Amino acid sequence: MPPSSWAAARSASSVRLTQRATVYGEDIASGLYSQVLIRSLRCRLISRNTNNTGLPTFDRAEDMAGRDFWFDPTAYIPEGSQVEVDGIRWQLKAGTFQSLGDCTPPAAKMCMAVRQQVASF
Amino acid sequence: MADPAPFNAAAMLQYIQTLVAGLSGLQQTYIGAPESIATRVNAFVTIGDTTPRPKANQLAQRNPEVMVTFAYRVAGAEQNAELTVCSLVDELTMAVYADRTLGGTSQSAELNMGINREPAYMDIGASEVRRYVVLITGLQTASTP
């Protein structure tokens, strides 16, 4: 699913990148996302579930855990990477990366992110 | 045929989880379907049908099902995913046939992979995975009032 239309339509300049992320790549041997690719990436996680149509009817907790991940437009993040923001891991969904704005570098970059499970709540 | 095994779904599930965790090349094994996966090569073990039936006076039987789902995070490596799944399936098959009592938790276990005729891919926590399901069916017997 592409990033939500409301978010895509949001003015790029209105999103302040006030959070910081560590970007992780996969360690081939272990399969874990343990290779640090970028530290202190300027970013912002924005909830995708802000409609006013009533209660959502998702099946599981992870379906509520989708966010739009806006990040520093000068940065390059490989698709399929994970990011950690405030101690929480998020999987960046391949195929949802967008550059916004008709300029170089783009005014903003964003993609869809899904929270990763912790061992137990 | 081996001695009857009592109704104990958890024991069969946990035995199979231990069996699966020992497969070479597997990086993470879960009991229950995870919301996301931590590694590239994963498996999760879940309980299926456990419907009982009367066997005789004061005797019931059932064929409990345990599903082993292999989940390989593809990330563009479809060939590696397919070949790894092949190895895991072969190894699990031999492990089950080495002890069809599943450590005494089943009288006789059978394998069924017929659900996998079409290649299946799924999304787990925003990661695309190749999914392959192995259905292990046991036989358990219980005395009833």
Side-chain angles (χ1 to χ4, degrees):
Chain A
M1 180 189 298
S4 54
S5 57
W6 72 267
R10 178 190 295 265
S11 166
S13 61
S14 70
V15 177
R16 298 179 59 215
L17 305 178
T18 55
Q19 296 176 295
R20 295 291 180 273
T22 302
V23 182
Y24 290 91
E26 180 187 344
D27 175 76
I28 299 300
S30 67
L32 295 167
Y33 282 98
S34 57
Q35 299 291 315
V36 176
L37 303 180
I38 304 172
R39 297 182 193 276
S40 292
L41 174 72
R42 292 190 306 121
C43 67
R44 182 82 175 271
L45 284 163
I46 299 177
S47 173
R48 300 168 55 81
N49 304 309
T50 56
N51 63 68
N52 295 315
T53 58
L55 294 173
T57 56
F58 297 112
D59 291 326
R60 289 195 69 184
E62 74 269 25
D63 293 328
M64 287 292 290
R67 298 287 188 277
D68 288 329
F69 181 72
W70 295 70
F71 57 96
D72 183 344
T74 64
Y76 168 72
I77 302 177
E79 288 198 342
S81 299
Q82 276 190 5
V83 297
E84 185 173 303
V85 181
D86 295 334
I88 302 293
R89 288 288 184 113
W90 300 80
Q91 179 72 44
L92 305 183
K93 191 167 179 59
T96 67
F97 283 65
Q98 291 186 39
S99 294
L100 304 177
D102 298 327
C103 53
T104 304
K109 287 182 179 176
M110 64 173 293
C111 65
M112 181 181 166
V114 175
R115 192 181 69 182
Q116 300 299 283
Q117 185 173 19
V118 294
S120 60
F121 292 102
Chain B
M1 187 171 282
D3 292 338
F7 278 19
N8 192 334
M12 181 174 158
L13 183 79
Q14 289 171 317
Y15 178 85
I16 291 172
Q17 189 270 337
T18 303
L19 205 65
V20 171
L23 301 180
S24 59
L26 200 63
Q27 295 171 322
Q28 185 73 48
T29 308
Y30 302 89
I31 288 182
E35 294 176 7
S36 60
I37 50 175
T39 58
R40 178 172 286 255
V41 190
N42 310 266
F44 51 92
V45 180
T46 52
I47 192 72
D49 187 8
T50 57
T51 305
R53 62 182 178 278
K55 175 67 176 174
N57 283 339
Q58 297 181 314
L59 200 64
Q61 276 191 338
R62 67 181 186 186
N63 296 100
E65 295 176 346
V66 170
M67 292 179 70
V68 178
T69 303
F70 293 116
Y72 186 104
R73 189 170 63 218
V74 181
E78 284 83 359
Q79 181 172 313
N80 285 347
E82 213 66 20
L83 293 173
T84 302
V85 166
C86 287
S87 298
L88 291 169
V89 169
D90 285 351
E91 201 176 341
L92 178 59
T93 300
M94 296 313 295
V96 170
Y97 273 83
D99 177 14
R100 292 178 60 202
T101 74
L102 303 175
T105 64
S106 171
Q107 192 169 338
S108 176
E110 296 179 357
L111 291 167
N112 187 341
M113 292 84 146
I115 194 174
N116 300 287
R117 291 193 177 90
E118 297 287 333
Y121 292 83
M122 66 185 295
D123 183 302
I124 300 180
S127 292
E128 184 193 35
V129 303
R130 170 70 165 101
R131 180 187 68 185
Y132 192 97
V133 176
V134 176
L135 184 64
I136 303 176
T137 304
L139 174 60
Q140 294 179 338
T141 306
S143 298
T144 59

